[in-house]
Amino acid sequence: MGVSGAIVASAAPPNFPDNLVVFPDRDFVTVEGYQDHLGETATLEIFRGGAVIGSAQGVVAEGDVAFEVNHPGGYCWGAGTNLNVTPDIKPGDVAKLRFGNAPAGDTTVQDAYVDHDATLSGSTVTVTGHVAPGVNHAQMEQRIVEPALVDTEVGKRDVRAVSGPLTVAPKGGYSSSLEFSGDTFTATYVFDSAATAKIAANPSLGERAMAWEVEDADANRQGLTIAEFGEPGGPGMGGCPAGPRDQTAPQPGTASVIRSSDGTSMQVNWEPTAPPPGAAAVTGYSVEAIAKTAAANGDHVQVGTRAAATAKKTTIMGLKGDEGYDVEVRSIAGPRMSEAFTVNADAPTPPPPGTVVTPTLTADPPPSDTGAKTASSVTLTSNGQIFYTTDGSPAILGDMPSDDAKLYTGPIPITAPGTELSVAAFDKAGNHTQLSGIYDPPATSTAKPDAPKGLTATPGERSVALKWTAPDPSVTMYAVQAYVRTTPNAPFTASGSVQETPSTTLTVANLTAGTEYWFTVKAKGAGDYGDESAKVGPVVPTADRITIGTAKWKSGDFRVTGTGSAFTTATEAVSVTVFAANADGTISTRSLGSAPVTAAAPPATGGDYSVRSRNAAAGTTNPGKIYVKSSKGGVAGPFTVANG
């Protein structure tokens, strides 16, 4: 058939109607579309230099906006992720969306923004700003937003300037241009009246610079950055976490104490907690031992040290051997100090005369007496505190942990052959027990993973969206193949080359509308690829794309509106028909009305439709869920009909 299709990962940036829109000045992100993930939880992350500086989870809701982060009615940064900081989003940061571990699109924040208030000269208003070399000038727009312009000859709440010379606006009232010189842009507006120019020069909703990464064939702006001059950053609603500059110092993650046998000194160990991304760095630690017994005047003696920012342990001297202490460890970041991690340090209790009590200590798996023991990790257990090294150096020096020893907090991974494990367990009185051993990691498995399951295929405009389930966590890559055949009983023929991706979603693009396709996927683990999945198909890409904007029913009135990428022209009529959904969510054959798709009014592109039924034709009850199907094969739905 000579049919081929390029398979591309669903990432960077999303395809319409899905989109990521970033408002860096307000640290606010809108996730649009993703209706094929309706009801699913998505994770939105902001990356800077490969590190996550902000994250939140949200559930995809029905409609054009799936969910928003740091905007009234939306989710706070940190929701579902516990990274409780509102990131200070800057140009160059990358917003990424994923469902589970499957990437679903990303966008890089564009480096273009207004840097001065609008200026007025007669009937001319000028707005200037910064634009970095990497920003596509053809994919930029500058806007002035002022609702009072609606009542002027402009007739809209905003005026816009796009790249190019002075051009009359589609609805009149002003002309505009957007020109560039080096790293500066200048938007010029010439209004039909000086009074209107004065209104535009003092906008209540400000000046904006908009830049986008991709513009598709229908002029949809994908991966959009909207920089709003003068808007404050930080939390966008009450109860959301503070920004990085307002965060307190981070409380240490753990802390423990070992006292010497005479009780006059103690070693305090702690594990730092990284400060929130963008917050002030930790500059040191305050470690204080506070006597439990109060003096006659009510004071408690306090002995302590100030440790360096890189420290994880310190020794406090000069303690009373028979006194108990509360030990408080705090991190310090500039002028701020964290909440304390408090550890109880009772006075040592000598064992009965003639006895020596040492803490227990076991390893799972235990070390071998004849050579290296094979293990992916080693779990240690003791009734005391455990310290260890993995390079053969001693874990104990004198009667205290060595400087190189680490506090045990969980299983120790064995990643290199000949790992020399040295372990010491201490009780609060300083008694200790030791063990050591050599460990090797298991040999790398070369087993091939099973075929992925649950492969589904959803047709789109000259494309097919694929989803599947990972067979096991060891999978590192997937390979997808498209197939066609000339007749129903003919052999399958590969269409295009095998394409690899690490995600569990792919979009097959540039397909032929009306052609039947089948697809398979196979998984790769530590070894080679496993078997292909069963073929899913036939799947038929459509010739156009349909969206549903609104669907409302009330007694005697039923109306559905939306858009289509194809519309009626002088040579071809394009229409849509609304169908009721079956109880199982599939499309039925029951038509609820039809209407033509007409060209959208400039500067919008594509087409619009409005299907409306009145009186008896509207039906006596809300139809529930619907589909909309175009005469060129595009389908949208299921979509829930609202009352009202």
Side-chain angles (χ1 to χ4, degrees), residues 216-277:
D216 66 18
D218 297 325
N220 295 300
R221 300 168 175 183
Q222 301 300 116
L224 178 62
T225 299
I226 302 178
E228 303 165 298
F229 179 61
E231 288 286 351
M237 48 189 167
C240 287
R245 297 174 185 173
D246 299 319
Q247 294 280 331
T248 60
Q251 184 184 41
T254 61
S256 62
V257 171
I258 297 174
R259 293 191 72 165
S260 61
S261 56
D262 64 2
T264 60
S265 66
M266 69 170 69
Q267 185 183 93
V268 183
N269 305 271
W270 63 89
E271 285 296 324
T273 300

Side-chain angles (χ1 to χ4, degrees), residues 163-460:
S163 181
L166 204 65
T167 303
V168 178
K171 290 189 175 182
Y174 71 98
S175 299
S176 63
S177 66
L178 182 60
E179 298 174 313
F180 301 86
S181 176
D183 62 356
T184 300
F185 69 80
T186 301
T188 303
Y189 299 87
V190 179
F191 290 88
D192 292 355
S193 74
T196 302
K198 185 176 181 180
I199 294 172
N202 298 279
S204 59
L205 298 181
E207 302 91 345
R208 301 177 181 179
M210 303 168 64
W212 51 97
E213 291 184 87
V214 175
E215 185 169 320
D216 66 18
D218 297 325
N220 295 300
R221 300 168 175 183
Q222 301 300 116
L224 178 62
T225 299
I226 302 178
E228 303 165 298
F229 179 61
E231 288 286 351
M237 48 189 167
C240 287
R245 297 174 185 173
D246 299 319
Q247 294 280 331
T248 60
Q251 184 184 41
T254 61
S256 62
V257 171
I258 297 174
R259 293 191 72 165
S260 61
S261 56
D262 64 2
T264 60
S265 66
M266 69 170 69
Q267 185 183 93
V268 183
N269 305 271
W270 63 89
E271 285 296 324
T273 300
V282 170
T283 55
Y285 291 88
S286 171
V287 186
E288 303 289 343
I290 304 167
K292 292 179 179 289
T293 304
N297 64 355
D299 292 344
H300 293 258
V301 173
Q302 181 171 302
V303 183
T305 61
R306 183 66 60 93
T310 57
K312 292 186 177 183
K313 64 177 69 176
T314 192
T315 300
I316 300 178
M317 313 292 290
L319 303 175
K320 292 182 63 176
D322 59 352
E323 176 64 81
Y325 292 86
D326 291 318
V327 181
E328 296 181 345
V329 184
R330 292 179 169 89
S331 72
I332 303 167
R336 297 185 174 94
M337 184 176 288
S338 76
E339 294 292 324
F341 194 108
T342 304
V343 184
N344 178 49
D346 291 329
T349 302
T355 63
V356 177
V357 179
T358 59
T360 60
L361 178 60
T362 60
D364 181 21
S368 171
D369 295 331
T370 59
K373 173 65 71 72
T374 300
S376 58
S377 65
V378 178
T379 301
L380 304 173
T381 305
S382 175
N383 59 0
Q385 296 177 44
I386 305 173
F387 294 82
Y388 71 95
T389 64
T390 57
D391 60 0
S393 61
I396 187 171
L397 188 63
D399 62 351
M400 289 289 185
S402 68
D403 290 341
D404 295 329
K406 300 177 182 178
L407 177 66
Y408 177 80
T409 58
I412 303 168
I414 304 300
T415 58
T419 298
E420 297 184 54
L421 188 62
S422 177
V423 186
F426 296 81
D427 63 18
K428 292 184 178 181
N431 299 312
H432 59 268
T433 305
Q434 299 183 70
L435 65 78
S436 61
I438 300 176
Y439 290 86
D440 288 339
T444 301
S445 172
T446 59
K448 297 180 180 179
D450 294 334
K453 298 183 183 300
L455 177 61
T456 62
T458 303

Side-chain angles (χ1 to χ4, degrees), residues 3-7 464 466 479-485 492-499 508-509 511 516-521 532 535-536:
V3 179
S4 65
I7 302 177
V464 173
L466 302 173
V480 173
Q481 178 65 62
Y483 294 91
V484 295
R485 56 184 179 183
F492 287 101
T493 302
S495 175
S497 60
V498 171
Q499 298 292 318
V508 183
L511 299 177
E516 293 184 342
Y517 291 87
W518 287 257
F519 298 90
T520 65
V521 60
E532 282 188 329
K535 289 182 176 67
V536 61

Side-chain angles (χ1 to χ4, degrees), residues 45-56:
E45 295 169 307
I46 306 297
F47 285 80
R48 180 177 299 160
V52 178
I53 65 168
S55 62

